[in-house]
Amino acid sequence: RLRQEIARRQSTENDAADAKRRLNAILNNAGVGVLLADGQGRFVDVNRRWCRMIGYLRREARGQLMTRDITHPDEAAAIGRHFQAMLAGEIKSRSQEHRFVRKDGSVFWGLISTSIVKDRNGRNLWVVGMITDIDRQKQVEAKLRESEERLRFMTENTHDVVWQLDRDLRFTFVNGADERMRGFRREEVIGRTLNEQLTPGGRGTLEQVTQRQSESAQSRVEIFEVEMLCKNGGRVWVEINSTPV
């Protein structure tokens, strides 16, 4: 029985050593930050890319740091639940965006993909995490949202009618000034075509404009007048300044 136990332990150690050699090849050549953690969340190893990303030396991380040490406090609970679910076999792998904390205390956004490494008997050896720094992408997205919010504020507070149409000339956005002018609620307009909102004469004018634009080698701004339909059955003449995007 003792010999069997020794042989079992030796087999487990050999499995771990083989897996470690395979993962070392990944660690040394990966273009993303890679970490190996044990079942308690303690780092077994990290690669050079991870060290440059997080700011710790490899010897400071191995056997010393825990996953919680680089996790933003607001993300700790979610990552903890995810980690335990992986160990329990409830999920095999997952990619999620989280905030991480560098050694100097600065915070960045990372996309982390995690998976479990098992031995030949199906026992958990390590959790492998691969982190991609997406902080710049997040900053761009935040600036884009700010720009969109400013644009929406401007369009909703102008007296001019503002539309956005797709390639089929279907409304994808209308501001409040259109409802004040013609009486249609925006949900009655969005998804419909510009043609449906014009009088027969206006449709003819629009056809001429779109024909000129299709024949032009370059995008051009068109300014033209058309007669539009109102919800109360009336009609209104408008000047359209059309700018292709």
Side-chain angles (χ1 to χ4, degrees):
R1 182 176 296 179
L2 179 59
R3 290 179 179 177
Q4 290 176 344
E5 178 63 21
I6 293 174
R8 186 188 65 79
R9 291 184 179 181
Q10 185 65 48
S11 176
T12 300
E13 292 173 0
N14 289 341
D15 286 343
D18 289 342
K20 186 68 179 296
R21 282 192 292 270
R22 292 194 300 272
L23 287 170
N24 273 335
I26 298 174
L27 286 170
N28 294 329
N29 295 286
V32 297
V34 181
L35 64 90
L36 307 181
D38 63 19
Q40 284 70 50
R42 188 178 304 278
F43 293 156
V44 176
D45 208 349
V46 295
N47 69 346
R48 288 187 293 269
R49 182 79 173 182
W50 184 95
C51 292
R52 290 195 296 269
M53 186 183 298
I54 307 296
Y56 288 96
L57 297 175
R58 196 175 185 184
R59 65 173 179 270
E60 293 177 311
R62 293 163 63 176
Q64 304 296 321
L65 291 180
M66 307 283 286
T67 53
R68 63 172 178 266
D69 295 323
I70 66 165
T71 302
H72 190 279
D74 293 344
E75 309 279 350
I79 289 183
R81 289 192 297 270
H82 170 68
F83 191 86
Q84 292 303 317
M86 292 201 70
L87 293 176
E90 297 172 5
I91 53 176
K92 293 183 178 180
S93 62
R94 180 175 293 177
S95 295
Q96 289 183 311
E97 295 179 357
H98 287 293
R99 286 169 291 174
F100 297 93
V101 182
R102 299 186 180 94
K103 183 179 179 180
D104 63 8
S106 60
V107 176
F108 73 99
W109 278 94
L111 174 65
I112 181 167
S113 300
T114 50
S115 57
I116 286 281
V117 177
K118 298 179 179 290
D119 63 18
R120 67 179 62 179
N121 296 314
R123 292 186 292 266
N124 296 334
L125 289 177
W126 304 297
V127 174
V128 180
M130 297 187 179
I131 303 176
T132 303
D133 188 336
I134 59 170
D135 207 49
R136 180 167 296 183
Q137 173 186 329
K138 283 290 187 179
Q139 292 174 10
V140 171
E141 290 175 355
K143 290 180 180 178
L144 179 60
R145 285 195 299 271
E146 290 174 4
S147 297
E148 290 174 344
E149 289 170 3
R150 287 196 297 269
L151 178 60
R152 186 170 294 275
F153 176 82
M154 292 170 59
T155 56
E156 289 297 342
N157 289 276
T158 183
H159 294 294
D160 295 327
V161 173
V162 179
W163 303 325
Q164 186 176 47
L165 300 96
D166 62 18
R167 290 180 178 273
D168 298 321
L169 299 184
R170 290 186 180 276
F171 290 93
T172 59
F173 171 80
V174 295
N175 69 343
D178 183 72
E179 180 177 351
R180 292 190 292 272
M181 180 179 71
R182 299 193 304 122
F184 291 103
R185 297 191 307 276
R186 68 185 67 196
E187 57 266 28
E188 295 176 303
V189 178
I190 291 176
R192 295 187 174 276
T193 65
L194 179 55
N195 254 334
E196 294 177 273
Q197 307 296 309
L198 302 178
T199 63
R203 293 169 194 162
T205 301
L206 178 63
E207 184 178 353
Q208 294 174 12
V209 171
T210 54
Q211 182 67 29
R212 285 198 302 270
Q213 289 182 332
S214 65
E215 294 173 352
S216 175
Q218 296 180 340
S219 296
R220 52 186 289 179
V221 176
E222 292 276 359
I223 300 176
F224 57 98
E225 295 181 352
V226 292
E227 193 176 25
M228 299 194 71
L229 302 173
C230 297
K231 188 171 183 178
N232 63 6
R235 301 181 177 192
V236 59
W237 279 94
V238 300
E239 180 183 81
I240 295 178
N241 187 321
S242 170
T243 305
V245 178

